[in-house]
PDB file of all heavy atoms in Angstrom:
ATOM      1  N   GLY A  69       5.527 -15.328   6.024  1.00 72.00           N
ATOM      2  CA  GLY A  69       4.122 -15.011   5.799  1.00 72.00           C
ATOM      3  C   GLY A  69       3.396 -14.761   7.096  1.00 72.00           C
ATOM      4  O   GLY A  69       2.202 -14.567   7.181  1.00 72.00           O
ATOM      5  N   VAL A  70       4.107 -14.896   8.158  1.00 78.00           N
ATOM      6  CA  VAL A  70       3.547 -14.631   9.515  1.00 78.00           C
ATOM      7  C   VAL A  70       3.797 -13.108   9.863  1.00 78.00           C
ATOM      8  O   VAL A  70       4.854 -12.646   9.901  1.00 78.00           O
ATOM      9  CB  VAL A  70       4.269 -15.486  10.608  1.00 78.00           C
ATOM     10  CG1 VAL A  70       3.545 -15.248  11.943  1.00 78.00           C
ATOM     11  CG2 VAL A  70       4.113 -16.940  10.203  1.00 78.00           C
ATOM     12  N   VAL A  71       2.674 -12.500  10.042  1.00 86.00           N
ATOM     13  CA  VAL A  71       2.622 -11.070  10.202  1.00 86.00           C
ATOM     14  C   VAL A  71       2.151 -10.754  11.623  1.00 86.00           C
ATOM     15  O   VAL A  71       1.298 -11.289  12.069  1.00 86.00           O
ATOM     16  CB  VAL A  71       1.824 -10.328   9.204  1.00 86.00           C
ATOM     17  CG1 VAL A  71       1.607  -8.789   9.458  1.00 86.00           C
ATOM     18  CG2 VAL A  71       2.327 -10.600   7.779  1.00 86.00           C
ATOM     19  N   ARG A  72       2.878  -9.800  12.283  1.00 89.00           N
ATOM     20  CA  ARG A  72       2.454  -9.376  13.636  1.00 89.00           C
ATOM     21  C   ARG A  72       1.927  -7.992  13.614  1.00 89.00           C
ATOM     22  O   ARG A  72       2.516  -7.113  12.849  1.00 89.00           O
ATOM     23  CB  ARG A  72       3.766  -9.478  14.600  1.00 89.00           C
ATOM     24  CG  ARG A  72       3.511  -9.108  15.940  1.00 89.00           C
ATOM     25  CD  ARG A  72       4.650  -9.566  16.762  1.00 89.00           C
ATOM     26  NE  ARG A  72       6.018  -9.072  16.138  1.00 89.00           N
ATOM     27  CZ  ARG A  72       6.695  -8.094  16.884  1.00 89.00           C
ATOM     28  NH1 ARG A  72       6.364  -7.724  18.051  1.00 89.00           N
ATOM     29  NH2 ARG A  72       7.823  -7.771  16.389  1.00 89.00           N
ATOM     30  N   ILE A  73       0.851  -7.775  14.231  1.00 93.00           N
ATOM     31  CA  ILE A  73       0.191  -6.468  14.170  1.00 93.00           C
ATOM     32  C   ILE A  73       0.941  -5.613  15.350  1.00 93.00           C
ATOM     33  O   ILE A  73       0.764  -5.905  16.552  1.00 93.00           O
ATOM     34  CB  ILE A  73      -1.277  -6.449  14.328  1.00 93.00           C
ATOM     35  CG1 ILE A  73      -1.965  -7.155  13.183  1.00 93.00           C
ATOM     36  CG2 ILE A  73      -1.806  -5.089  14.645  1.00 93.00           C
ATOM     37  CD1 ILE A  73      -3.353  -7.325  13.247  1.00 93.00           C
ATOM     38  N   LEU A  74       1.551  -4.512  14.919  1.00 95.00           N
ATOM     39  CA  LEU A  74       2.300  -3.628  15.900  1.00 95.00           C
ATOM     40  C   LEU A  74       1.345  -2.494  16.266  1.00 95.00           C
ATOM     41  O   LEU A  74       1.317  -2.019  17.398  1.00 95.00           O
ATOM     42  CB  LEU A  74       3.484  -2.937  15.238  1.00 95.00           C
ATOM     43  CG  LEU A  74       4.527  -3.931  14.707  1.00 95.00           C
ATOM     44  CD1 LEU A  74       5.717  -3.118  14.083  1.00 95.00           C
ATOM     45  CD2 LEU A  74       5.072  -4.802  15.919  1.00 95.00           C
ATOM     46  N   LYS A  75       0.442  -2.192  15.263  1.00 97.00           N
ATOM     47  CA  LYS A  75      -0.594  -1.101  15.714  1.00 97.00           C
ATOM     48  C   LYS A  75      -1.824  -1.657  14.968  1.00 97.00           C
ATOM     49  O   LYS A  75      -1.819  -1.716  13.753  1.00 97.00           O
ATOM     50  CB  LYS A  75      -0.091   0.288  15.218  1.00 97.00           C
ATOM     51  CG  LYS A  75      -1.122   1.422  15.578  1.00 97.00           C
ATOM     52  CD  LYS A  75      -1.365   2.437  14.504  1.00 97.00           C
ATOM     53  CE  LYS A  75      -2.445   3.305  14.767  1.00 97.00           C
ATOM     54  NZ  LYS A  75      -3.804   2.643  14.861  1.00 97.00           N
ATOM     55  N   ASP A  76      -2.849  -1.781  15.623  1.00 98.00           N
ATOM     56  CA  ASP A  76      -4.134  -2.075  15.107  1.00 98.00           C
ATOM     57  C   ASP A  76      -4.960  -0.904  14.814  1.00 98.00           C
ATOM     58  O   ASP A  76      -4.635   0.293  15.129  1.00 98.00           O
ATOM     59  CB  ASP A  76      -5.013  -2.985  16.088  1.00 98.00           C
ATOM     60  CG  ASP A  76      -5.887  -3.911  15.319  1.00 98.00           C
ATOM     61  OD1 ASP A  76      -6.234  -3.675  14.117  1.00 98.00           O
ATOM     62  OD2 ASP A  76      -6.373  -4.992  15.970  1.00 98.00           O
ATOM     63  N   LEU A  77      -6.146  -1.022  14.099  1.00 98.00           N
ATOM     64  CA  LEU A  77      -6.913   0.047  13.713  1.00 98.00           C
ATOM     65  C   LEU A  77      -7.501   0.666  15.040  1.00 98.00           C
ATOM     66  O   LEU A  77      -7.700  -0.094  16.037  1.00 98.00           O
ATOM     67  CB  LEU A  77      -8.114  -0.474  12.834  1.00 98.00           C
ATOM     68  CG  LEU A  77      -7.792  -1.082  11.534  1.00 98.00           C
ATOM     69  CD1 LEU A  77      -9.001  -1.669  10.845  1.00 98.00           C
ATOM     70  CD2 LEU A  77      -7.146   0.042  10.615  1.00 98.00           C
ATOM     71  N   ASP A  78      -7.757   1.908  14.996  1.00 97.00           N
ATOM     72  CA  ASP A  78      -8.479   2.540  16.127  1.00 97.00           C
ATOM     73  C   ASP A  78     -10.037   2.466  15.904  1.00 97.00           C
ATOM     74  O   ASP A  78     -10.676   2.389  16.920  1.00 97.00           O
ATOM     75  CB  ASP A  78      -8.120   4.063  16.058  1.00 97.00           C
ATOM     76  CG  ASP A  78      -6.706   4.356  16.516  1.00 97.00           C
ATOM     77  OD1 ASP A  78      -6.110   3.608  17.253  1.00 97.00           O
ATOM     78  OD2 ASP A  78      -6.206   5.424  15.967  1.00 97.00           O
ATOM     79  N   GLU A  79     -10.383   2.177  14.640  1.00 93.00           N
ATOM     80  CA  GLU A  79     -11.812   2.210  14.425  1.00 93.00           C
ATOM     81  C   GLU A  79     -12.305   0.755  14.313  1.00 93.00           C
ATOM     82  O   GLU A  79     -11.576  -0.203  13.942  1.00 93.00           O
ATOM     83  CB  GLU A  79     -12.095   2.776  13.042  1.00 93.00           C
ATOM     84  CG  GLU A  79     -11.602   4.265  12.853  1.00 93.00           C
ATOM     85  CD  GLU A  79     -12.581   5.206  13.462  1.00 93.00           C
ATOM     86  OE1 GLU A  79     -13.864   4.944  13.434  1.00 93.00           O
ATOM     87  OE2 GLU A  79     -12.062   6.255  13.952  1.00 93.00           O
ATOM     88  N   GLN A  80     -13.642   0.515  14.629  1.00 97.00           N
ATOM     89  CA  GLN A  80     -14.338  -0.725  14.341  1.00 97.00           C
ATOM     90  C   GLN A  80     -14.703  -0.731  12.823  1.00 97.00           C
ATOM     91  O   GLN A  80     -15.053   0.386  12.263  1.00 97.00           O
ATOM     92  CB  GLN A  80     -15.651  -0.866  15.197  1.00 97.00           C
ATOM     93  CG  GLN A  80     -15.294  -0.780  16.572  1.00 97.00           C
ATOM     94  CD  GLN A  80     -14.707  -1.969  17.163  1.00 97.00           C
ATOM     95  OE1 GLN A  80     -15.003  -3.001  16.785  1.00 97.00           O
ATOM     96  NE2 GLN A  80     -13.823  -1.755  18.070  1.00 97.00           N
ATOM     97  N   ILE A  81     -14.566  -1.797  12.034  1.00 98.00           N
ATOM     98  CA  ILE A  81     -14.878  -1.772  10.688  1.00 98.00           C
ATOM     99  C   ILE A  81     -16.126  -2.425  10.233  1.00 98.00           C
ATOM    100  O   ILE A  81     -16.457  -2.498   9.013  1.00 98.00           O
ATOM    101  CB  ILE A  81     -13.686  -2.149   9.817  1.00 98.00           C
ATOM    102  CG1 ILE A  81     -13.300  -3.623  10.194  1.00 98.00           C
ATOM    103  CG2 ILE A  81     -12.503  -1.237  10.035  1.00 98.00           C
ATOM    104  CD1 ILE A  81     -12.296  -4.113   9.152  1.00 98.00           C
ATOM    105  N   GLU A  82     -16.787  -3.126  11.126  1.00 98.00           N
ATOM    106  CA  GLU A  82     -17.932  -3.891  10.813  1.00 98.00           C
ATOM    107  C   GLU A  82     -18.912  -2.961  10.045  1.00 98.00           C
ATOM    108  O   GLU A  82     -19.276  -1.942  10.452  1.00 98.00           O
ATOM    109  CB  GLU A  82     -18.681  -4.490  12.085  1.00 98.00           C
ATOM    110  CG  GLU A  82     -19.749  -5.454  11.821  1.00 98.00           C
ATOM    111  CD  GLU A  82     -20.296  -6.168  12.979  1.00 98.00           C
ATOM    112  OE1 GLU A  82     -19.669  -6.153  13.984  1.00 98.00           O
ATOM    113  OE2 GLU A  82     -21.340  -6.733  12.826  1.00 98.00           O
ATOM    114  N   GLY A  83     -19.445  -3.492   8.892  1.00 98.00           N
ATOM    115  CA  GLY A  83     -20.414  -2.781   8.170  1.00 98.00           C
ATOM    116  C   GLY A  83     -19.905  -1.549   7.395  1.00 98.00           C
ATOM    117  O   GLY A  83     -20.696  -0.917   6.806  1.00 98.00           O
TER     118      GLY A  83
END
Side-chain angles (χ1 to χ4, degrees):
V70 180
V71 173
R72 185 161 53 110
I73 294 179
L74 301 178
K75 183 219 170 294
D76 206 343
L77 298 174
D78 290 332
E79 303 279 331
Q80 303 289 322
I81 62 169
E82 185 170 348

